[in-house]
């Protein structure tokens, strides 16, 4: 076997340090991939796989991409879950002897993409770190395109479940776990469908995390970041930060601080609630259509859209802060013209936040500076329009300085590349102007040579042309080559032309090319000098970015409030909620205008639980969700779809949607339901709002009613949270008599000529029968089946009356007063009467005997019931 080329040895040496990445190796105008990397890349990117060194006896698979379009290929590889290492030439090939020195200059993973052209502008690109230890879950997340860095801790019960809620809110592209967390929890994380697109990375935890952070931020204590004594938050923050810093190979990052976010200041919305309510993401539609965000996001800038998302995921729990936002919104509702003018100006405001990121990551180009200039201009105009309103306090002086700097230096339409000149205006730098002069003179002189040679040779078609290989040359057609003088030096022969040079042509060429090269490097230098100056204004720019984003969201709130006829809700610390003529903000948009039926809702000290009955499709879910959405909108400072609303602060919203309405699969529905209900009853407080939508559906009617009853009782007695309980089991309406603060409501339907008309109006009182059969008819079931089920229903109802009489009106609440399924009970009775008990029945008897009901919580009792049932069913 032949010896390896020096280049291959260099490649292998570098690759050996990046075995987990696809290595893009810069060779001239290409980034090449070799061996296994080439095979993978050719598949993932659809490149042709070639090979190198075949003639030397060993073959190296090879695939390459042009350097100028490498970003799009990197984006594709990363999107497919690969880690990509970029290996560049780190010395000038001209000045080096032998092989050019190469180094990996950056490693890119899904959470650390810096090329913003390939990112969704309305979303942040977060990298998240998670560490779970005994009873603390710590998390930290970074967006390296904007420099945002936050951390938080979750303490207490259900850590994993609550972490899932946070992950869902933050929506990271990649999650880094320390070794222990990875080993213990990766399977747990991978189980969840909603996390399937996130890349999980294992990383080594650093020992002196606090020192590391203090060093990085150059502070004496982490107290100012709110992280004092937050040991786990500190550890996980150091973990993600170090991960990012390592991948950037020591390059500067736009991260200047970190802040601890306390979950106590925001409304808790767990993962189920976030998805059931379709706040930002839609369970069914990837596009996000049909979400609350979709209705509310009419923002003019991507910074505004990103901030709105954050608002929606973190509703405030501070009356004063909410009122402050409301005041800002009402200002723009009153000042219509001003609002429209500002929104118009916001249109011209680019993504300042990401431009700062680019400046610091050094991926900026001339166009970014022009975008910044334009944004500064529109911001200054907005400032003028607002006449010093504290809403938009910005550093005018600094902005004007920056504006002038860019205006003076950068041409209005710079090229994409900053290495090829054409970026800097004339008059900005005298050396540059001189070089341009030389270049221009040289070009003029070359034109003169062309004229001179035409005259001298008499060849009319003689032309001076330029290409990258030969530089300037004289081209003469074959027909005229006899006229070429002696002193012409032939360089190239084409099919019907000859190319020559002459002495003074080369002399001027040198001047021109020399000047061109020097222009390019001087321009690059001047450009970098300018961006270094602008970088100094990072804080002013970050402040501006936030102010623009906030203004965008606030004017958006005003805009949609007017457009959709929303009103300002009254927010207070109390426990009452009153919504008059409320609407579902999304559903009202999806049905013909004006067809949405408005409804009221009142919770006060006499009414905490609403039991809502009504046939399928009558509007129960819509009514409950609209209440939750109005509450959320009110807590972010927005106006709400209603005629009047008074909202006492709500600390948490929980939703549990019964089996057939939800998309979760796999786990036994009953167990899933129970564990979610367990979470609700464990975490809810008096200030919470709970939606229970047809729970108990995943099991038999009998079980369903028992569970529903027990849970409602528990919430009523022990928690006092505001709860709407929707059911189509009209049996549950009995709870009203039993529970002091529970009340029945139903959705009005009109039965007309054996047909149901949905009126969608919520009225007091329970439904007096279940409507399942009617709905079946609507769904097109044959008449025989319907008639038969009606007669069964009738019999069941008669039987129920008898049972009730026998019980003397006393009801075992846990079991409701549902008539058991006829046939089934019949057989069971027979089995118990006289006949030998089955093995399963014996077990159940024994277990029942051992149970001490006084010592069980209602939930434990339910789970026990389920267990017993399973034994009986032999599963
Ligand atoms: P349920 O939960 O009772 O089965 P839904 O809440 O899912 O019923 O409502 C079914 C459909 O009825 C909704 O998709 C919507 O189109 C319509 N709907 C619900 N409430 C209203 C209303 N207040 N006004 C107009 N249409 C409504
Ligand atoms: Mg429903």
């Amino acid at each position: 076997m032949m010896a390896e080329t020096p280049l291959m040895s260099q490649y292998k040496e570098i690759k050996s340090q990046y075995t987990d990445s696809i290595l893009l190796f810069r060779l001239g105008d290409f980034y090449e991939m070799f061996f296994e990397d080439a095979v993978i890349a050719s598949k993932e990117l659809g490149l042709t796989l070639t090979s190198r060194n075949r003639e030397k006896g060993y073959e190296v698979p090879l695939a390459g991409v042009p350097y100028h379009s490498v970003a799009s290929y990197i984006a594709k590889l990363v999107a497919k879950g690969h880690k990509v290492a970029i290996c560049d030439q780190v010395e000038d090939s001209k000045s080096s002897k032998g092989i050019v020195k190469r180094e990996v200059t950056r490693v890119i993973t899904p959470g650390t993409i810096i090329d913003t052209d390939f990112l969704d502008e309305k979303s942040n690109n977060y990298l998240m770190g998670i560490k779970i230890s005994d009873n603390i879950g710590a998390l930290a997340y970074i967006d390296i395109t904007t420099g945002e860095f936050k951390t938080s801790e979750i303490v207490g019960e259900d850590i994993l479940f609550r972490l899932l809620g946070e992950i869902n809110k933050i929506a990271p592209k990649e999650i880094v776990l320390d070794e222990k967390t990875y080993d213990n929890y990766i399977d747990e994380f991978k189980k969840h469908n909603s996390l399937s697109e996130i890349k999980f990375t294992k990383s080594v935890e650093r020992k002196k995390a606090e020192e590391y952070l203090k060093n990085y931020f150059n502070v004496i204590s982490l107290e100012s970041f709110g992280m004092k004594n937050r040991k786990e938050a500190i550890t996980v923050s150091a973990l993600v930060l170090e991960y990012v810093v390592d991948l950037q190979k020591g390059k500067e990052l736009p991260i200047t601080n970190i802040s601890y976010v306390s979950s106590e200041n925001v409304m808790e919305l767990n993962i189920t609630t976030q998805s059931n309510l379709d706040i930002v993401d839609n369970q069914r539609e990837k596009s996000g259509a049909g979400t609350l965000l979709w209705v509310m996001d009419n923002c003019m800038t991507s910074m505004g859209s990103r901030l709105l998302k954050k608002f929606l995921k973190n509703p405030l729990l501070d009356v004063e802060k909410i009122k402050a936002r409301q005041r800002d919104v009402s200002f723009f509702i009153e000042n219509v013209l001003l609002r429209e003018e500002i929104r118009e100006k916001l249109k011209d405001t680019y993504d300042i936040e990401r431009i700062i990121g680019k400046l610091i990551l050094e991926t900026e180009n001339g166009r970014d500076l022009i975008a910044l200039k334009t944004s500064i201009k529109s911001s200054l105009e907005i400032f003028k329009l607002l006449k010093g309103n504290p809403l938009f306090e910005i550093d005018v002086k600094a902005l004007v300085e920056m504006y002038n700097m860019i205006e003076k230096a950068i041409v209005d339409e710079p090229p994409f590349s900053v290495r090829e000149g054409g970026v800097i205006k004339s008059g900005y730098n005298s050396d540059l102007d001189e070089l341009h002069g030389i270049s221009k003179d040289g070009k003029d002189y070359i034109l003169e040579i062309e004229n001179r040679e035409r005259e001298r040779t008499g060849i009319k078609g003689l032309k001076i042309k330029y290409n990258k290989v030969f530089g300037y040359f004289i081209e003469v057609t074959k027909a005229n080559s006899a006229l070429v003088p002696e002193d012409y030096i032939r360089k190239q022969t084409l099919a019907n032309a000859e190319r020559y040079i002459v002495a003074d042509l080369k002399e001027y060429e040198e001047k021109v090319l020399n000047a061109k090269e020097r222009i390019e490097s001087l321009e690059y230098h001047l450009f970098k000098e300018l961006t270094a100056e602008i970088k100094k204004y990072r804080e002013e720019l970050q402040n501006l970015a936030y102010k623009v984003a906030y203004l965008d969201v606030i004017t958006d709130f005003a805009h949609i409030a007017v457009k959709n006829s929303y009103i300002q809700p009254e927010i207070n610390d109390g426990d009452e909620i009153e919504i008059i003529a409320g609407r579902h903000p999304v559903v009202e948009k999806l049905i013909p205008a004006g067809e949405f039926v408005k409804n009221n809702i009142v919770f006060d000290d006499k009414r905490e639980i609403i039991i809502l009955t009504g046939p399928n499709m009558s509007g129960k879910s819509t009514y409950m969700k609209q209440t939750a959405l109005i509450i959320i909108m009110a807590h972010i400072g927005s106006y709400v779809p209603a005629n009047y609303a008074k909202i006492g602060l709500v600390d948490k919203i929980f939703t549990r949607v019964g089996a057939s309405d939800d998309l979760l699969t796999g786990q036994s529905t009953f167990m899933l339901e129970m564990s979610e209900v367990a979470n609700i009853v464990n975490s809810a407080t008096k200030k919470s709002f709970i939606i229970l939508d047809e729970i108990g559906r995943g099991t038999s009617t009998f079980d369903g009613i028992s569970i529903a009853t027990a849970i409602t009782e528990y919430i009523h007695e022990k928690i006092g949270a505001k709860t709407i309980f929707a059911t189509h089991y009209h049996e549950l309406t009995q709870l009203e008599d039993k529970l002091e603060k529970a009340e029945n409501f139903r959705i009005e339907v009109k039965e007309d000529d054996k047909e149901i008309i949905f009126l969608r109006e919520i009225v007091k009182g329970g439904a007096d029968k279940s409507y399942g059969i009617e709905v079946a008819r609507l769904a097109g079931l044959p008449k025989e089946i319907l008639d038969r089920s009606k007669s069964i229903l009738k019999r069941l109802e008669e039987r129920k009356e008898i049972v009730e009489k026998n019980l003397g009106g006393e009801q075992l609440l846990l079991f409701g007063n549902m008539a058991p399924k006829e046939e089934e009970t019949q057989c069971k009775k027979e089995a118990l009467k006289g006949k030998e008990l089955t093995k399963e029945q014996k077990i159940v008897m024994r277990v029942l005997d051992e149970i001490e009901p006084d010592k069980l919580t209602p939930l434990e009792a339910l789970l026990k019931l389920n267990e017993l049932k399973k034994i009986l069913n032999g599963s």
Side-chain angles (χ1 to χ4, degrees):
M1 204 179 130
M2 301 271 294
E4 237 168 37
T5 61
L7 190 75
M8 262 302 125
S9 320
Q10 186 189 39
Y11 173 83
K12 284 188 174 167
E13 156 68 25
I14 296 173
K15 174 68 193 178
S16 70
Q17 298 162 41
Y18 293 92
T19 48
D20 62 344
S21 309
I22 291 186
L23 187 72
L24 292 180
F25 192 74
R26 180 75 183 258
L27 271 181
D29 283 345
F30 279 81
Y31 279 103
E32 303 287 3
M33 286 152 280
F34 300 109
F35 303 107
E36 188 62 13
D37 288 355
V39 177
I40 297 172
S42 66
K43 252 191 235 128
E44 302 277 45
L45 303 173
L47 303 170
T48 17
L49 188 66
T50 54
S51 64
R52 196 182 161 99
N53 289 341
R54 189 176 299 163
E55 67 284 359
K56 290 187 186 157
Y58 59 93
E59 217 166 294
V60 178
L62 165 89
V65 297
Y67 84 97
H68 54 81
S69 54
V70 68
S72 67
Y73 292 105
I74 295 173
K76 272 185 214 152
L77 285 174
V78 170
K80 297 200 171 189
H82 297 286
K83 200 166 163 181
V84 177
I86 312 295
C87 178
D88 279 312
Q89 302 176 181
V90 291
E91 62 180 357
D92 196 340
S93 55
K94 279 181 209 134
S95 54
S96 73
K97 296 188 203 88
I99 197 157
V100 189
K101 201 168 156 210
R102 289 183 173 82
E103 267 171 21
V104 169
T105 51
R106 188 165 265 150
V107 180
I108 299 159
T109 65
T112 57
I113 294 176
I114 52 173
D115 214 308
T116 47
D117 294 350
F118 297 98
L119 295 175
D120 172 12
E121 56 182 23
K122 293 191 171 182
S123 308
N124 279 96
N125 200 63
Y126 288 121
L127 169 75
M128 188 171 183
I130 291 179
K131 178 177 196 289
I132 306 175
S133 48
D134 308 334
N135 56 348
I136 298 185
L139 57 102
Y141 52 99
I142 294 182
D143 181 342
I144 68 166
T145 66
T146 63
E148 183 181 350
F149 189 10
K150 297 217 166 92
T151 181
S152 186
E153 278 177 6
I154 293 173
V155 187
E157 305 273 325
D158 291 324
I159 287 181
L160 191 68
F161 184 67
R162 284 157 65 201
L163 268 174
L164 286 174
E166 289 306 305
I167 297 174
N168 202 54
K169 269 190 195 174
I170 294 156
K173 291 288 177 317
E174 181 178 1
I175 295 180
V176 187
L177 305 167
D178 63 281
E179 286 170 304
K180 208 165 143 204
T181 308
Y182 191 96
D183 295 342
N184 291 343
Y185 293 95
I186 188 67
D187 293 340
E188 213 35 70
F189 284 126
K190 294 236 155 124
K191 249 194 243 160
H192 288 269
N193 271 345
S194 59
L195 309 186
S196 64
E197 284 180 13
I198 302 175
K199 180 179 168 72
F200 285 91
T201 312
K202 186 168 171 172
S203 187
V204 184
E205 188 176 309
R206 146 176 284 281
K207 289 266 149 47
K208 295 191 168 158
E210 185 159 358
E211 292 307 308
Y212 179 76
L213 291 179
K214 284 201 272 193
N215 250 328
Y216 183 90
F217 293 114
N218 197 13
V219 291
I220 320 159
S221 132
L222 297 178
E223 199 170 345
S224 61
F225 299 139
M227 292 172 78
K228 201 181 173 202
N229 298 333
R230 302 275 183 188
K231 196 169 147 279
E232 307 298 325
I234 290 173
T235 313
V236 74
S237 302
L239 180 84
V240 262
L241 182 61
E242 192 180 30
Y243 179 76
V244 174
V245 168
D246 271 1
L247 295 184
Q248 297 303 310
K249 304 285 148 206
K251 286 199 206 64
E252 194 184 354
L253 285 165
I255 303 159
T256 47
N257 60 44
I258 174 167
S259 55
Y260 185 86
V261 225
S262 165
S263 50
E264 282 151 31
N265 306 328
V266 298
M267 184 192 288
E268 183 179 317
L269 300 166
N270 66 28
I271 186 163
T272 322
T273 303
Q274 290 172 46
S275 97
N276 280 339
L277 294 179
D278 296 333
I279 301 172
V280 167
D281 301 305
N282 191 315
Q283 301 177 62
R284 296 157 298 274
E285 296 228 15
K286 272 253 157 178
S287 67
T291 61
L292 182 57
L293 178 72
W294 171 76
V295 173
M296 294 191 74
D297 187 2
N298 277 288
C299 287
M300 308 303 273
T301 72
S302 38
M303 292 178 286
S305 294
R306 293 199 297 266
L307 186 66
L308 172 57
K309 255 190 205 176
K310 284 176 205 167
F311 278 10
L312 278 170
K313 290 173 171 185
N314 301 288
L316 298 173
L317 289 185
D318 180 327
V319 173
E320 285 320 306
K321 280 190 189 153
I322 297 170
K323 283 188 171 163
R325 280 191 200 164
Q326 286 184 341
R327 277 193 296 274
D328 292 340
V329 178
S330 79
F331 174 77
F332 286 113
I333 286 190
E334 281 154 27
N335 295 285
V336 188
L337 262 170
L338 181 64
R339 179 179 82 233
E340 287 313 316
E341 274 177 308
I342 287 177
R343 279 171 61 81
E344 203 50 45
K345 300 275 179 227
L346 284 170
K347 249 192 217 162
D348 290 332
T349 314
Y350 296 89
D351 201 335
I352 303 168
E353 211 179 359
R354 281 198 166 148
I355 295 176
I356 312 165
K358 281 183 167 183
L359 284 170
I360 289 157
L361 293 161
E362 307 218 27
T363 55
E364 81 286 6
N365 63 22
R367 291 179 191 184
D368 294 319
L369 290 194
I370 294 302
L372 182 60
K373 187 180 89 173
T374 314
S375 309
I376 291 175
K377 181 162 175 257
S378 53
S379 303
L380 290 171
E381 284 166 1
I382 291 171
F383 182 81
K384 235 192 211 158
L385 287 171
L386 282 168
K387 299 193 186 84
N389 189 319
L391 197 73
F392 201 65
E393 258 167 22
I394 52 173
D395 190 335
V396 174
K397 189 170 155 274
L399 293 177
V400 171
E401 276 166 19
M402 265 183 280
Y403 180 89
N404 289 336
M405 277 157 56
I406 301 171
E407 167 67 20
K408 249 206 288 184
I410 307 291
V411 299
D412 289 339
E413 285 179 26
F416 190 76
S417 165
V418 288
R419 300 249 181 205
E420 285 157 22
V423 180
I424 306 288
K425 273 187 179 167
S426 73
Y428 180 69
N429 175 284
S430 55
D431 290 347
L432 185 64
D433 291 346
E434 201 174 308
L435 285 169
H436 276 299
I438 295 172
S439 163
K440 185 169 178 306
D441 289 349
K443 281 183 189 156
D444 287 350
Y445 194 82
I446 287 169
L447 281 180
E448 270 172 38
I449 297 179
E450 190 179 65
N451 284 331
R452 186 190 72 200
E453 291 304 309
R454 272 187 203 155
E455 269 173 32
R456 179 158 81 102
T457 59
I459 306 171
K460 284 217 179 77
L462 180 147
K463 276 195 190 109
I464 291 185
K465 291 186 173 173
Y466 174 84
N467 73 25
K468 273 201 166 159
V469 184
F470 296 111
Y472 288 96
F473 52 81
I474 298 172
E475 191 172 284
V476 176
T477 53
K478 277 260 170 72
N480 286 321
S481 53
L483 297 171
V484 167
E486 293 253 312
D487 57 336
Y488 273 33
I489 304 159
R490 181 155 55 218
K491 273 282 166 189
Q492 195 186 13
T493 304
L494 304 180
N496 49 13
E498 300 273 359
R499 289 174 172 179
Y500 305 91
I501 52 167
V502 289
D504 61 346
L505 181 60
K506 281 293 123 177
E507 198 178 302
Y508 278 88
E509 172 190 298
E510 188 129 329
K511 276 197 181 141
V512 172
L513 293 186
N514 236 328
K516 182 171 179 276
E517 209 169 276
R518 284 169 60 201
I519 287 169
E520 285 169 5
S521 78
L522 181 56
E523 282 209 18
Y524 183 71
H525 171 79
L526 293 170
F527 179 77
K528 281 294 174 188
E529 217 174 52
L530 174 67
T531 54
E533 277 310 301
I534 291 175
K535 261 200 269 187
K536 292 184 188 156
Y537 293 100
R538 154 159 140 179
E539 262 173 49
E540 288 82 354
L541 284 175
Q542 258 155 358
N543 174 54
L544 175 67
Y546 182 77
K547 287 285 153 61
V548 168
Y550 181 75
L551 185 66
D552 195 7
V553 173
I554 291 299
T555 47
D556 170 65
F557 282 1
H559 174 80
I560 57 166
V562 173
K563 187 171 100 181
N564 302 332
S565 313
Y566 296 164
I567 53 96
Q568 186 183 73
E570 208 180 299
I571 287 275
N572 61 39
D573 269 325
D575 285 323
E576 292 180 11
I577 287 181
E578 184 177 355
I579 299 169
I580 305 297
R583 286 126 48 205
H584 190 300
V586 182
V587 174
E588 75 167 341
K589 290 273 164 193
L590 297 174
I591 62 176
E595 283 189 12
F596 193 90
V597 180
K598 303 166 185 178
N599 274 304
N600 307 338
I601 191 164
V602 178
F603 286 108
D604 54 25
D605 56 356
K606 284 181 234 65
R607 184 191 298 145
E608 285 170 358
I609 293 180
I610 290 176
I611 296 158
L612 180 63
T613 40
N616 275 329
M617 292 304 285
S618 60
K620 300 183 296 297
S621 301
T622 307
Y623 178 68
M624 294 190 288
K625 286 182 186 170
Q626 106 187 14
T627 308
L629 293 177
I630 288 175
I631 292 174
I632 291 174
M633 291 170 84
H635 282 69
I636 64 174
S638 165
Y639 282 30
V640 300
N643 288 356
Y644 169 81
K646 181 171 75 187
I647 312 273
L649 283 190
V650 169
D651 65 351
K652 307 171 189 190
I653 297 180
F654 295 96
T655 61
R656 172 59 220 171
V657 177
S660 73
D661 277 18
D662 97 40
L663 297 174
L664 290 163
T665 42
Q667 243 190 89
S668 123
T669 330
F670 183 76
M671 279 318 289
L672 188 81
E673 188 151 72
M674 284 308 98
S675 67
E676 287 199 12
V677 169
N679 167 262
I680 296 177
V681 295
N682 285 333
S683 328
T685 75
K686 189 168 168 47
K687 298 199 79 64
S688 306
F689 175 58
I690 304 175
I691 289 178
L692 298 172
D693 195 351
E694 317 238 12
I695 58 170
R697 247 201 192 180
T699 174
S700 68
T701 306
F702 179 75
D703 278 354
I705 291 178
S706 339
I707 291 159
T709 307
I711 292 166
T712 313
E713 260 191 321
Y714 186 86
I715 294 174
H716 184 268
E717 300 303 322
K718 298 274 162 66
I719 304 175
K722 292 172 247 325
T723 305
I724 314 182
F725 195 126
T727 176
H728 60 254
Y729 301 135
H730 70 277
E731 288 80 2
L732 284 173
T733 55
Q734 311 270 346
L735 277 170
E736 184 183 51
D737 305 330
K738 169 92 181 173
L739 306 176
E740 192 195 337
K741 294 177 180 178
E743 252 177 85
N744 288 330
F745 282 83
R746 66 173 192 275
I747 305 210
E748 204 57 320
V749 288
K750 204 166 85 190
E751 277 179 272
D752 158 32
D753 206 13
K754 289 183 184 168
E755 213 178 32
I756 286 192
I757 298 166
F758 292 127
L759 299 177
R760 313 219 182 273
E761 239 163 74
I762 314 271
V763 297
K764 255 182 93 60
D768 51 2
K769 60 178 174 185
S770 295
Y771 291 92
I773 295 167
E774 261 71 20
V775 175
R777 188 165 53 79
L778 282 178
L781 275 187
K783 192 170 177 301
E784 294 96 283
I785 298 182
L786 295 173
D787 287 346
R788 167 76 182 131
S789 40
K790 265 190 190 149
S791 80
I792 294 176
L793 184 69
K794 194 149 170 265
R795 256 201 295 150
L796 279 173
E797 273 164 0
E798 283 161 10
R799 180 183 289 261
K800 193 174 74 182
E801 269 162 36
I802 297 168
V803 173
E804 269 166 25
K805 261 186 213 138
N806 291 346
L807 284 172
E810 263 298 303
Q811 285 165 33
L812 278 172
L813 247 185
L814 184 63
F815 299 98
N817 66 335
M818 175 59 185
K821 271 183 240 149
E822 202 175 15
E823 272 93 89
E824 214 178 292
T825 347
Q826 219 45 48
C827 334
K828 295 241 167 93
K829 272 190 195 138
E830 241 120 72
L832 290 171
K833 232 192 288 158
K835 287 190 196 128
E836 193 53 40
L837 289 178
T838 64
K839 194 178 98 216
E840 287 79 16
Q841 287 166 339
K842 282 181 192 157
I843 299 175
V844 169
M845 297 294 256
R846 212 185 64 221
V847 177
L848 272 176
D849 205 37
E850 285 164 5
I851 289 178
E852 296 178 65
D854 296 351
K855 295 191 177 157
L856 290 183
T857 67
L859 259 177
E860 281 165 344
L862 289 172
L863 291 171
K864 206 74 192 172
L865 261 179
N866 183 45
E867 194 184 304
L868 293 178
K869 244 195 94 99
K870 274 202 178 143
I871 297 173
L872 276 184
N873 294 337
S875 58

